């Protein structure tokens, strides 16, 4: 199975949170499955510390792969480990035009901090929902969000 983005990424931004506006579908050779990020999913994309070199190198890069990685870390799909989530992130960056050096640097970051991101994933969704809700009145409610 060849890896490929099957749909385009469509996002809307409020503060430091992005809302997925259309399903993002990705076929992964790493996990031998199609991954679908649903409408209404909230992400902060690639969380990069605001250290000048690191932010220059990776900040704002690879939004599609970052959404996939966030989805995997927050949803913990059956049969996918945090190591595989990092591998899917690298695989997807190889397809979206991210330069190889940047993809490897970003992958290394998720491998170093990946276990913590994986462990906090479900709680991270609730944090992002609160940030999104803080923008109340500026946009419609998040589809599928829990109160």
């Amino acid at each position: 199975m060849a890896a490929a983005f099957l749909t385009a990424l469509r996002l809307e931004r409020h503060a430091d949170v992005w809302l997925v506006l259309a399903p993002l579908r990705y076929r992964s050779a790493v996990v031998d499955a199609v991954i679908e990020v649903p409408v209404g999913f909230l992400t902060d994309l690639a969380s990069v510390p605001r250290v000048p070199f690191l932010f220059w190198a990776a900040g704002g890069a690879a939004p599609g792969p970052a959404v996939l990685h966030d989805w995997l870390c927050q949803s913990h799909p059956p049969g996918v480990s945090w190591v595989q989530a990092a591998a899917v992130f690298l695989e997807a960056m190889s397809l979206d035009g991210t330069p190889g050096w940047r993809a490897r640097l970003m992958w290394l970051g998720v491998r170093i901090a990946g276990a913590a991101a994986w462990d906090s994933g479900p709680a991270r969704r609730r944090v992002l929902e609160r940030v999104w809700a803080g923008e109340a009145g500026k946009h419609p409610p998040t589809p599928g969000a829990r109160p």
Side-chain angles (χ1 to χ4, degrees):
M1 167 191 302
F5 281 95
L6 305 175
T7 59
L9 178 63
R10 292 191 45 228
L11 297 173
E12 180 180 330
R13 180 181 181 183
H14 296 283
D16 290 327
V17 179
W18 285 257
L19 172 72
V20 173
L21 298 174
L24 176 63
R25 297 186 75 231
Y26 177 77
R27 185 176 52 232
S28 173
V30 169
V31 296
D32 193 29
V34 172
I35 300 164
E36 183 168 322
V37 180
V39 170
F41 178 68
L42 297 171
T43 177
D44 60 358
L45 299 178
S47 303
V48 178
R50 298 302 195 252
V51 176
F53 172 76
L54 288 177
F55 193 74
W56 168 81
V67 169
L68 288 169
H69 185 257
D70 280 1
W71 169 251
L72 293 171
C73 286
Q74 291 181 32
S75 65
H76 293 183
V80 177
S81 69
W82 74 269
V83 172
Q84 289 171 308
V88 168
F89 183 51
L90 181 61
E91 174 188 59
M93 285 189 289
S94 74
L95 299 173
D96 85 335
T98 302
W101 67 269
R102 179 173 284 151
R104 286 186 296 282
L105 179 67
M106 293 174 72
W107 172 82
L108 183 60
V110 300
R111 281 304 309 264
I112 290 170
W118 181 267
D119 291 344
S120 68
R124 181 71 182 143
R125 178 173 175 88
R126 291 186 293 279
V127 168
L128 294 174
E129 287 171 350
R130 284 194 297 274
V131 171
W132 185 264
E135 294 282 304
K138 299 179 184 176
H139 50 79
T142 304
R146 291 167 279 167

